[in-house]
Amino acid sequence: MKQKSRGSKAATRVPADRGLPSKKQILDFLNSAQGKAGKREIARAFGVSGGARIALKRLLAEMADEGTLAGDKKHLKEKGRLPAVAALEVTGRDDDGDLIAKPVEWDEAEGKRPTVRLSMDGNDIGIGDRVLARLTRLPRGDGATYEGALVKKLLKEKRRLLGIYRAASRGGGGTIEPINRKELKSYTVLADDTNKAADGDLVRFALARRGRFASSNAQIVESLGNPDDQRQISLIAVHAHGIPEDFPESVLAECETLPSPTMDGRVDLRTVPLITIDPVDARDHDDAVHAEADSDARNSGGFIVTVAIADVAHYIRPGSKLDKEAQIRGNSVYFPDRVVPMLPEKISNDLCSLRENEDRPCLAVRLVFDRNGEKRSHTFVRAMMRSAAKLSYQEAQAAIDGNPSDKCQPLMDSVLKPLWAAYEAVAKARDKRGPLDLDLPERRILLDENGRVARVTTPERLTAHRLIEEFMIQANVAAAETLEQKRLPVVYRVHDAPSAEKLKGLRDFLETLDMKVPHAGALKPEAFNKVLAAAKDLPVPDLINEVILRSQSQAEYTPTNIGHFGLNLMRYAHFTSPIRRYADLLIHRALIKALNLGPDGLSDEEVPRLASIAKAISDLERRAMAAERETNDRLIAAHLADRVGATFEARIAGVTRSGLFVRLKDTGADGYIPISGLGDEYYEHVEAAHALVGTRSGTGYRLGDAVEVRLLEAIPSAGALRFEMLTPPTRGNFGPMKKGVRGSRGPKRKTFGKSGRRR
């Protein structure tokens, strides 16, 4: 009995006495193979045996010479053709918004790498993901070469090999400077492997070894643009993390066919003087506020606060091209040199921007507070509004402080003073609630006209900032409460309490400063706030803030509610920024469905996918945070590149067994000092004290210490800074030193890093 080929579903068997299979039959067999297919599998499939095997071998060799076959005798395939099932990497989208992928493995000798149009309906797949797909070849002229149906999602490659190409001055070829800060070495690129890349281009590359004992050279796979020419250093992070840049033509075209809002089913709020308060350089305005004293005698001294949010759900309908694109992006990504938005500019900066004196559809919540700021009730409506004024935080604050601008002057009594009075009441309830009160000012990088760092500022935290933040929090809570009451699914914004392991590390550290935090069973944000308040009297309050921040869990999106520890809230959902967060758009749709506010609410198809969508947008938020952080590092490294040898005031921001991370006082730039840069002594890593302590002298360096450092190296493409320590170590209560955690005199390799946060 003939054995069925392991590499095919089925094949037409041709007995040996009827001759060999035709070339077309061989190609058809190879193209239908599910596994490996070589000479042996072909012989088995077509019943070729005995002396006919020699004739088959000659036939296969002839097909290879003709250029119709590729591979070796164990792995044959039609030249230039993909197998029936292949591993693919999603590389972009076509003009219709469909995902486009390319094979993970491909021999360039077979020609141009084929493209695959993926059918991804109902699957959370994005650019940079790897998938296993079943392929169908498409007719020529269709754009893509194949159509792929998802079999399963594969693990992503650990990291994309990206670098800056530096062309040699003569002889062709050049070198690549990798952007990975853990791999600060250059790779040689031979003249035949440049793939037409230009000097300074950001490139994706692969490593290839030319001989058994030869070092790896780099082969450029594709050029991704020049960050310097475009004055967009964020280009590196965009490609490193696979962040979608341009919108497909079909998505932009859909923007031109969106339905205009009408008053049908809407409450008219156009006479209510809602105002927007945003950063001075804000391009879109998706939230507006208004407050007034409650005229209800039963709520004497109370307030009615209205929070109106742009009605993005009116334009972005479930299942539309705009919706699919927004879900792929997950959120807007903010860089100092540009924004990569979740929605096209037509929507984010026009249709859904609450422009001054222009009618805009909105979803609004009317919040009723008593004199102590406790919420008594709330009501959601779908409405039409008209912003009475567009103010910046600084402008609104100056008006309340007694210096109103010409725009603010007529708003003082009717708008601004009631807002501040309502906030004073709500702030009482907030203080009673006791959310985590970390004081970690965020620095802002300002660029000049050439896209270079002009200066780094720490914006003042104003009451106006706190006012808007607290009213948005109250609106978010109201959204979660309403959906729970209506028994509709909620994508919560949750923040878990610190883990037992992190809490133990924090407790061990605080004990070295004679400070304590309660055990997990009695833990509330108030306990941390007491520690933070006590830290203000210590020499290093920033240190305590930093360590408590590091002890916290990361916030995320999920349909399962565990509360928000940091805000000390039982239920919380993101409702107030649907222009820039997909999670908020889902909440808008859920509210529309729950309250019967229109036909464009949460669809039945979305409900069973909420858990996977929540996981995906949580991951996309992490991606955005990493990209934003890395871009800031690269901008600062470029800013300091011509100051190698200069000295800086800094503070120790991280302690590892191989060295110290430091943060510069003026710019907030992070850099690394390997143990070899600390002097001749051996240092023990005392983990509980977040310190490196000399084994001979007992002196050391700990997290939060103010130090002076000298810049030794700056690598802008990697965002890497290396320093040496100038400040001698000091004595302190470092706690017991443990054996087996000694740091070496110098690390085996340079490592650079930085932590980030987002509420």
Side-chain angles (χ1 to χ4, degrees):
M1 179 182 292
K2 299 294 183 184
Q3 183 178 352
K4 185 177 180 180
S5 169
R6 292 173 295 173
S8 67
K9 292 180 179 177
T12 301
R13 296 171 182 262
V14 181
D17 59 1
R18 290 180 56 189
L20 298 175
S22 68
K23 294 179 180 179
K24 182 179 184 303
Q25 286 177 310
I26 291 174
L27 292 178
D28 288 343
F29 167 76
L30 293 175
N31 291 331
S32 66
Q34 298 288 308
K36 77 169 186 175
K39 175 187 171 185
R40 178 180 298 178
E41 286 71 33
I42 294 173
R44 285 175 177 171
F46 292 98
V48 178
S49 60
R53 287 179 174 268
I54 298 176
L56 176 63
K57 180 179 179 180
R58 286 197 297 266
L59 176 60
L60 296 177
E62 180 182 326
M63 294 176 69
D65 291 340
E66 294 172 348
T68 56
L69 277 188
D72 55 38
K73 67 178 182 179
K74 293 185 178 180
H75 299 86
L76 291 171
K77 68 185 189 73
E78 183 178 357
K79 188 172 183 179
R81 185 157 183 161
L82 291 172
V85 176
L88 310 171
E89 180 183 8
V90 183
T91 58
R93 288 182 306 286
D94 60 18
D95 289 342
D96 292 328
D98 293 321
L99 292 175
I100 293 297
K102 294 189 177 183
V104 172
E105 296 182 0
W106 182 256
D107 186 351
E108 300 296 338
E110 294 189 46
K112 184 179 179 182
R113 190 179 295 255
T115 57
V116 181
R117 185 173 63 234
L118 288 175
S119 175
M120 291 292 111
D121 287 344
N123 296 292
D124 301 313
I125 304 296
I127 294 174
D129 286 334
R130 288 190 169 193
V131 300
L132 189 68
R134 195 177 309 281
L135 306 181
T136 302
R137 194 160 189 173
L138 296 172
R140 292 185 179 181
D142 194 57
T145 315
Y146 294 85
E147 185 170 59
L150 180 70
V151 175
K152 66 177 180 178
K153 187 175 180 179
L154 303 174
L155 292 176
K156 280 188 179 181
E157 60 178 331
K158 292 183 178 179
R159 58 186 173 86
R160 305 181 85 189
L161 292 177
L162 298 177
I164 304 297
Y165 174 61
R166 304 298 181 191
S169 57
R170 56 184 179 178
T175 58
I176 289 176
E177 300 170 359
I179 64 167
N180 188 327
R181 65 179 78 204
K182 293 184 178 180
E183 191 177 351
L184 298 183
K185 58 178 288 186
S186 60
Y187 290 100
T188 299
V189 181
L190 301 180
D192 292 339
D193 295 330
T194 63
N195 201 10
K196 300 181 181 179
D199 182 60
D201 276 0
L202 173 68
V203 298
R204 186 176 182 192
F205 65 95
L207 297 178
R209 196 181 298 274
R210 295 295 183 181
R212 183 177 178 184
F213 300 105
S215 59
S216 296
N217 289 334
Q219 296 176 320
I220 294 176
V221 176
E222 60 179 325
S223 296
L224 302 170
N226 190 311
D228 290 330
D229 286 351
Q230 299 182 44
R231 297 177 183 173
Q232 294 177 339
I233 203 164
S234 56
L235 179 73
I236 298 175
V238 165
H239 286 289
H241 293 278
I243 296 173
E245 239 188 318
D246 300 323
F247 288 94
E249 287 298 325
S250 61
V251 173
L252 296 177
E254 195 171 77
C255 290
E256 305 303 320
T257 63
L258 297 174
S260 298
T262 67
M263 287 302 301
D264 290 345
R266 295 186 184 273
V267 174
D268 194 346
L269 296 180
R270 288 176 291 184
T271 59
V272 178
L274 289 149
I275 64 171
T276 61
I277 305 178
D278 293 292
V280 67
D281 57 351
R283 297 177 60 193
D284 54 67
H285 312 273
D286 58 356
D287 59 80
V289 292
H290 174 264
E292 61 184 346
D294 192 352
S295 59
D296 189 341
R298 294 169 298 178
N299 189 28
S300 177
F303 294 90
I304 298 174
V305 175
T306 301
V307 177
I309 307 298
D311 190 358
V312 177
H314 171 77
Y315 298 104
I316 313 298
R317 306 295 177 96
S320 65
K321 292 184 183 298
L322 279 163
D323 179 50
K324 292 178 180 178
E325 181 70 17
Q327 189 176 328
I328 286 172
R329 293 172 179 247
N331 51 59
S332 297
V333 188
Y334 294 85
F335 300 109
D337 57 359
R338 62 172 163 163
V339 176
V340 180
M342 184 181 79
L343 299 173
E345 186 173 349
K346 174 74 172 177
I347 295 173
S348 60
N349 293 359
D350 183 5
L351 299 177
C352 288
S353 185
L354 306 181
R355 291 179 175 176
E356 201 172 43
N357 298 318
E358 294 186 22
D359 290 359
R360 287 290 184 269
C362 66
L363 199 58
V365 57
R366 182 179 185 267
L367 304 156
V368 180
F369 298 98
D370 65 19
R371 65 171 65 238
N372 296 313
E374 298 289 347
K375 182 165 68 70
R376 299 184 56 167
S377 64
H378 67 263
T379 307
F380 282 92
V381 296
R382 214 165 186 184
M384 189 72 73
M385 64 159 287
R386 182 182 297 154
S387 173
K390 178 186 73 173
L391 304 179
S392 68
Y393 288 114
Q394 293 76 13
E395 189 176 12
Q397 187 68 55
I400 288 296
D401 292 342
N403 298 298
S405 64
D406 291 342
K407 178 186 286 188
C408 288
Q409 187 65 59
L411 301 172
M412 291 300 298
D413 293 332
S414 60
V415 178
L416 292 175
K417 287 182 180 180
L419 270 173
W420 255 256
Y423 170 68
E424 287 177 4
V426 174
K428 293 177 187 176
R430 179 204 60 201
D431 294 341
K432 182 180 178 181
R433 186 178 84 237
L436 188 59
D437 190 21
L438 288 169
D439 182 18
L440 291 167
E442 296 188 20
R443 289 177 171 84
R444 187 178 181 195
I445 297 175
L446 301 179
L447 305 180
D448 61 22
E449 59 184 10
N450 296 315
R452 306 300 180 189
V453 176
R455 65 184 188 278
V456 180
T457 65
T458 303
E460 182 183 2
R461 181 116 167 108
L462 304 170
T463 303
H465 291 99
R466 296 186 178 93
L467 179 151
I468 294 299
E469 182 179 87
E470 189 60 28
F471 287 157
M472 296 304 118
I473 288 172
Q474 292 296 330
N476 289 336
V477 171
E481 290 176 347
T482 295
L483 292 176
E484 283 191 359
Q485 292 164 4
K486 295 294 183 179
R487 301 184 182 278
L488 257 288
V490 186
V491 175
Y492 294 95
R493 177 67 166 180
V494 302
H495 179 223
D496 204 356
S499 66
E501 181 182 0
K502 287 187 176 181
L503 195 58
K504 182 182 183 302
L506 173 64
R507 188 175 289 112
D508 291 343
F509 168 69
L510 291 176
E511 285 177 357
T512 69
L513 300 174
D514 296 323
M515 304 179 77
K516 294 183 178 180
V517 68
H519 289 277
L523 190 63
K524 291 184 178 181
E526 181 183 6
F528 291 109
N529 291 340
K530 290 179 179 178
V531 174
L532 293 168
K536 293 179 180 178
D537 298 327
L538 297 177
V540 285
D542 292 349
L543 163 64
I544 309 300
N545 276 270
E546 187 76 31
V547 175
I548 288 180
L549 171 65
R550 295 183 185 189
S551 72
Q552 302 302 306
S553 303
Q554 283 189 314
E556 62 181 351
Y557 297 106
T558 173
T560 304
N561 186 27
I562 60 172
H564 197 294
F565 179 81
L567 293 175
N568 199 15
L569 292 168
M570 292 296 295
R571 53 192 58 81
Y572 188 67
H574 272 168
F575 158 75
T576 54
S577 292
I579 282 179
R580 62 184 180 90
R581 294 187 305 224
Y582 194 79
D584 302 54
L585 178 57
L586 290 174
I587 294 297
H588 276 232
R589 288 177 180 162
L591 287 168
I592 291 168
K593 181 174 183 177
L595 301 172
N596 296 316
L597 297 178
D600 43 7
L602 195 68
S603 68
D604 293 338
E605 290 75 18
E606 288 177 290
V607 173
R609 297 180 54 230
L610 286 180
S612 62
I613 293 175
K615 173 64 169 60
I617 58 181
S618 294
D619 292 342
L620 292 171
E621 181 186 47
R622 304 279 181 268
R623 178 181 73 174
M625 291 167 61
E628 292 166 0
R629 185 173 63 245
E630 290 170 12
T631 297
N632 288 345
D633 288 346
R634 292 186 178 103
L635 283 165
I636 293 294
H639 178 57
L640 297 178
D642 59 354
R643 299 190 64 188
V644 171
T647 60
F648 300 87
E649 292 182 55
R651 191 173 294 279
I652 295 175
V655 180
T656 70
R657 55 190 297 142
S658 60
L660 301 172
F661 293 99
V662 294
R663 184 166 299 151
L664 302 190
K665 179 180 178 181
D666 292 337
T667 62
D670 283 338
Y672 185 68
I673 304 177
I675 283 186
S676 59
L678 298 180
D680 294 332
E681 188 165 9
Y682 281 92
Y683 284 86
E684 298 279 1
H685 179 212
V686 184
E687 190 172 358
H690 293 261
L692 288 177
V693 184
T695 56
R696 184 175 66 250
S697 67
T699 61
Y701 301 96
R702 78 183 308 159
L703 188 71
D705 283 353
V707 294
E708 186 178 24
V709 297
R710 177 183 289 117
L711 180 61
L712 297 182
E713 184 179 23
I715 306 177
S717 61
L721 299 171
R722 184 166 61 92
F723 296 92
E724 68 173 339
M725 181 66 73
L726 300 180
T727 300
T730 59
R731 294 192 176 276
N733 176 20
F734 299 117
M737 296 173 64
K738 299 178 182 179
K739 294 182 180 181
V741 291
R742 174 179 296 175
S744 62
R745 282 176 176 262
K748 293 181 180 179
R749 63 182 184 184
K750 304 168 189 175
T751 57
F752 299 81
K754 181 179 179 181
S755 63
R757 66 188 181 99
R758 180 173 297 187
R759 193 188 74 217

